[in-house]
Amino acid sequence: MTQVNPLITDVITQTQRATLTKGPIQASGQGKAYQSVAQSTAIAVQDATDALRIVTTVASTAAGVALAQILATGNAKQYQPALDTAKAMVTTAIEGFAAVGEAAGKVLSSFPSGPSS
C-alpha cells in the first residue's frame, strides 16, 4: 500500500474547508442572487428606455402630422390638441422612465450583496 504524503492530505483538507463549508457557499449564493437582481433591474431600465423611445417616436410623428396640417390649413386651433397630447405623452413617458430608474436603484441598493451587507 502506498502512503499519501501528509502535505497532499493537508492541501485537500484545506481546500475542502475553504470551498465546501457554510461560509463560502453562502457567500457565493448571496453573490449570485445579487447579480441576478442587478441584471433584472438593468433589464427593467432597458425596457423603460425602449418604452420612452417608442412613445417619443409616436409623439414626434403625431406632432409632425399636426404641424403639417396647421401649415396646410392654417387652422392651429383645430390641431393644437394633438400637439398638447403628444407633449403630454412624452412627459408621462419621461416620468415613467424616471420612476423605473429610481425604483430599480432602490431595489438594487437595498439588496444584500454578500455576508458583510
Side-chain angles (χ1 to χ4, degrees), residues 3-93:
Q3 188 159 4
V4 177
N5 184 327
L7 291 175
I8 293 174
T9 304
D10 185 50
V11 166
I12 292 171
T13 302
Q14 294 294 332
T15 302
Q16 286 176 332
R17 282 189 192 134
T19 59
L20 299 177
T21 57
K22 182 180 177 184
I25 291 172
Q26 186 177 21
S28 175
Q30 288 174 329
K32 289 175 185 174
Y34 180 81
Q35 287 174 348
S36 180
V37 169
Q39 184 177 19
S40 295
T41 57
I43 290 169
V45 171
Q46 287 174 337
D47 289 347
T49 301
D50 290 342
L52 177 59
R53 185 179 305 111
I54 291 165
V55 168
T56 302
T57 300
V58 170
S60 295
T61 302
V65 170
L67 286 172
Q69 289 299 319
I70 290 170
L71 293 173
T73 65
N75 190 350
K77 187 175 181 179
Q78 181 180 356
Y79 297 101
Q80 187 61 47
L83 294 172
D84 295 339
T85 300
K87 181 180 177 182
M89 287 172 55
V90 173
T91 300
T92 301

